[in-house]
Amino acid sequence: MPTDIPVPSPSYNYTPGSIISVPDVTDINNASYGVNSFDNRRDLKVGEPVDNEQSLRLLGTSNLEAPPPFSAYNSETKVRGDTQVISHDPHLSEDGAMFCPFSEALYRFLLEQARFPPSFNLSCRGTHDETRTRQVMRQTGDTQSYQTETYSKTVVDFSFVIDLTPMLLAEPFGPPIYVVGDRTAAHRGKTYKEVDAAPSTTPEGRDLEMDRAALGKEFRREATADEKDASRARKDHLTNVGLPPWVHLPSDAPGTQAGVNSDEAQWRYQYATHGANQTFHDSDLQIPSQNLRQWADEYCASKKMLKEFTFEKIVHGWNFLELRQQISKTLKANWAHPSNTPTVTFNIESEVVSVRPDNWLSRMLSNRFYKVLLWLFLIYPLIIWPYKRYGGGGGGEWRVAGAAYAMAKWVHLEDSILGESVEMYSQRTPMLPSFQLRRTTLKGISRLEGVREGEWFNEWKETIAVFAREKRNNPDPIITPVGPPRSTQGGYRQ
């Protein structure tokens, strides 16, 4: 049985027009599932809506009964395959009561799910085709004869998986939560992708961006084909080179980079991205126009029967495209069939968290067995899909937010002084390890945390070569490299 966790109720002294300090739980850094945190505070002008007892005090209605404090609650979840966590818990898709956030349960559920990093591994596989012969018996009347027949067979030379999950950096404040940019084509409550931005001009030439600014209203519309292509290409590029979605690329249009979910995360992850040989900057991280809690509010307020909130987990910090090429070269150099191309893939497991309503149809569609039956009897394509796609109360997906997990990143040194060089800092702090990689930023000095991809490859190169030469087929993930420890210095790229 879930038990209520007592939460202290701070008192506030205020006068009209004054500034008071109230807890900010919009950031995962100080929010734990089921427990309100009052450590992270922000300034709030009197009159700005706040939660629960604070709202009652500010409205002069303290004689009303305040809602109970948020309590710990274990949501119903299930895992489908290796990539998806699904929840049909009714508390995660319902509206809230008076003075309660619509999405408190959903918001905290997503923060809780973000605490669990995905499983991450490298898969290597090499095959070749062989032409073989076999004897086939032919029956002609009463006469039997044997003929030689040729056929092709695919032979697996090697197949192994290296577990990279231990390489993911621990995040003491929780992983950063990102929200897609306004001009990124994404599912925002419909079955098609939208953007929260007006087109530049109307056919008559009127500037709709100016109209939007003047009216102070949001402008949500279906994304154009060019916007969809650009958003897809940007996401693929960031995934390949291991950059988080909040960085700014030279080719980015305004409003396409994702925002981090809080002011504190904005400060923490500024100048933190590791991406050697990449052209980008992360000096101006954006705060999203609509944060995770507001998106959760919007989802919970929807009455659609087949709605879905999708929360993604991504991995960054290594140039996976370059690392994949180096691994492929090593495999081919130690393979009996160097003319063939090995398959080298980086796989993320449990990368998607899906929240769906608690109704019979939504639960049925989450069950693969029932969904296959619905397809076989043509019920899904002829009835359910049109209702989901075009019905006003049918389907809608929110795929607007996620959490990012780093393999390597730069961490700001709080004791550094703005303007000093790495050499000056090292002389001032001789007790710190001298082998730490450091660099100068506009915030001060940062040190590299984690292992770079070139260093990891140098340590694992011989293991990858041995498994290819010896035609290893290991079903279980490999955790440690074979052979004596190797120096991690001097990898293919530092």
Side-chain angles (χ1 to χ4, degrees):
M1 294 291 292
T3 57
D4 289 340
I5 298 178
V7 177
S9 299
S11 59
Y12 302 102
N13 297 319
Y14 70 93
T15 56
S18 64
I19 302 294
I20 63 176
S21 183
V22 300
D24 180 8
V25 295
T26 60
D27 183 17
I28 189 173
N29 299 322
N30 282 306
S32 57
Y33 188 48
V35 182
N36 288 325
S37 170
F38 293 93
D39 297 330
N40 184 23
R41 307 174 76 87
R42 63 181 172 86
D43 288 336
L44 178 72
K45 292 183 179 179
V46 173
E48 183 179 347
V50 292
D51 294 339
N52 298 350
E53 296 182 13
Q54 296 95 305
S55 298
L56 299 178
R57 291 193 187 97
L58 294 179
L59 292 172
T61 55
S62 57
N63 59 319
L64 296 180
E65 182 179 356
F70 197 85
S71 58
Y73 176 72
N74 294 322
S75 301
E76 169 201 347
T77 59
K78 68 176 183 179
V79 179
R80 187 170 76 178
D82 294 330
T83 61
Q84 193 172 24
V85 176
I86 300 176
S87 177
H88 285 277
D89 194 294
H91 295 83
L92 305 182
S93 296
E94 294 177 348
D95 263 356
M98 183 179 182
F99 298 119
C100 289
F102 288 152
S103 58
E104 187 67 16
L106 173 59
Y107 175 69
R108 292 178 180 268
F109 171 76
L110 296 176
L111 297 185
E112 175 71 4
Q113 289 295 316
R115 291 177 53 241
F116 303 103
S119 298
F120 189 53
N121 62 64
L122 164 68
S123 174
C124 299
R125 180 181 172 89
T127 64
H128 72 276
D129 293 331
E130 291 184 355
T131 301
R132 299 183 178 183
T133 60
R134 58 188 172 191
Q135 295 293 317
V136 180
M137 185 184 68
R138 305 291 185 184
Q139 183 79 31
T140 305
D142 295 333
T143 305
Q144 291 183 350
S145 62
Y146 291 88
Q147 296 180 354
T148 301
E149 181 182 78
T150 61
Y151 66 98
S152 178
K153 180 179 178 62
T154 299
V155 178
V156 178
D157 295 314
F158 58 85
S159 179
F160 58 92
V161 175
I162 299 176
D163 187 9
L164 297 176
T165 306
M167 306 304 297
L168 294 174
L169 295 178
E171 295 282 358
F173 298 98
I177 304 297
Y178 68 88
V179 177
V180 298
D182 288 346
R183 287 189 174 274
T184 298
H187 288 93
R188 302 169 187 262
K190 298 291 197 309
T191 54
Y192 50 84
K193 293 183 178 181
E194 298 176 292
V195 294
D196 278 337
S200 299
T201 59
T202 65
E204 295 79 19
R206 192 174 78 252
D207 191 337
L208 291 179
E209 288 289 349
M210 294 297 294
D211 290 349
R212 179 188 180 193
L215 295 174
K217 297 180 179 179
E218 296 296 328
F219 194 109
R220 183 170 297 178
R221 59 174 174 81
E222 183 175 1
T224 65
D226 289 341
E227 288 171 330
K228 294 177 184 178
D229 292 341
S231 297
R232 188 182 305 110
R234 183 181 192 274
K235 183 177 181 179
D236 291 344
H237 174 72
L238 293 177
T239 301
N240 284 329
V241 299
L243 294 177
W246 56 76
V247 301
H248 188 276
L249 303 174
S251 59
D252 280 349
T256 55
Q257 67 182 108
V260 290
N261 200 51
S262 69
D263 295 335
E264 187 173 351
Q266 183 185 35
W267 166 258
R268 180 173 294 116
Y269 296 101
Q270 186 182 34
Y271 304 111
T273 304
H274 173 260
N277 293 354
Q278 300 298 320
T279 303
F280 70 92
H281 67 82
D282 57 354
S283 59
D284 58 343
L285 303 191
Q286 304 296 310
I287 297 296
S289 60
Q290 190 166 328
N291 61 30
L292 177 61
R293 186 189 289 276
Q294 293 168 324
W295 280 113
D297 284 344
E298 185 177 308
Y299 167 81
C300 290
S302 171
K303 303 301 182 183
K304 293 182 177 181
M305 191 174 185
L306 297 176
K307 65 181 181 179
E308 179 176 6
F309 195 103
T310 302
F311 187 83
E312 297 181 295
K313 299 180 180 182
I314 67 166
V315 175
H316 66 96
W318 283 5
N319 189 327
F320 300 111
L321 179 62
E322 189 172 350
L323 181 56
R324 187 184 298 114
Q325 293 172 350
Q326 297 297 328
I327 294 173
S328 181
K329 290 180 181 178
T330 301
L331 291 171
K332 295 178 72 171
N334 294 272
W335 190 14
H337 303 276
S339 59
N340 291 6
T341 301
T343 302
V344 180
T345 57
F346 292 94
N347 308 301
I348 304 178
E349 299 178 1
S350 301
E351 62 176 328
V352 173
V353 179
S354 297
V355 177
R356 300 171 182 175
D358 179 31
N359 60 65
W360 65 272
L361 182 55
S362 180
R363 284 183 175 271
M364 181 180 293
L365 293 179
S366 294
N367 188 300
R368 289 181 175 176
F369 174 76
Y370 290 122
K371 192 168 184 178
V372 170
L373 289 181
L374 292 172
W375 270 100
L376 291 177
F377 289 101
L378 301 181
I379 297 175
Y380 185 88
L382 297 181
I383 299 176
I384 298 178
W385 186 85
Y387 170 68
K388 183 178 180 179
R389 178 67 173 82
Y390 301 106
E397 183 180 6
W398 283 259
R399 189 182 285 260
V400 292
Y405 305 82
M407 308 290 283
K409 67 177 181 179
W410 294 96
V411 179
H412 175 64
L413 296 172
E414 297 294 342
D415 60 345
S416 63
I417 301 174
L418 183 63
E420 71 177 339
S421 65
V422 173
E423 292 75 13
M424 295 169 58
Y425 177 82
S426 299
Q427 294 173 1
R428 188 168 57 83
T429 57
M431 300 301 294
L432 293 179
S434 59
F435 59 82
Q436 284 184 346
L437 290 175
R438 300 167 186 159
R439 72 172 183 177
T440 303
T441 71
L442 295 181
K443 292 166 59 176
I445 304 298
S446 296
R447 66 174 175 84
L448 185 69
E449 186 174 294
V451 178
R452 294 175 293 177
E453 61 269 45
E455 298 166 342
W456 178 89
F457 175 73
N458 192 50
E459 183 179 8
W460 280 83
K461 181 177 180 180
E462 183 60 28
T463 300
I464 294 172
V466 167
F467 275 55
R469 281 197 306 267
E470 298 182 358
K471 300 183 179 181
R472 298 278 190 94
N473 283 271
N474 283 41
D476 299 324
I478 309 166
I479 301 176
T480 57
V482 299
R486 296 169 56 88
S487 170
T488 59
Q489 301 301 318
Y492 73 86
R493 179 173 61 78
Q494 294 303 307

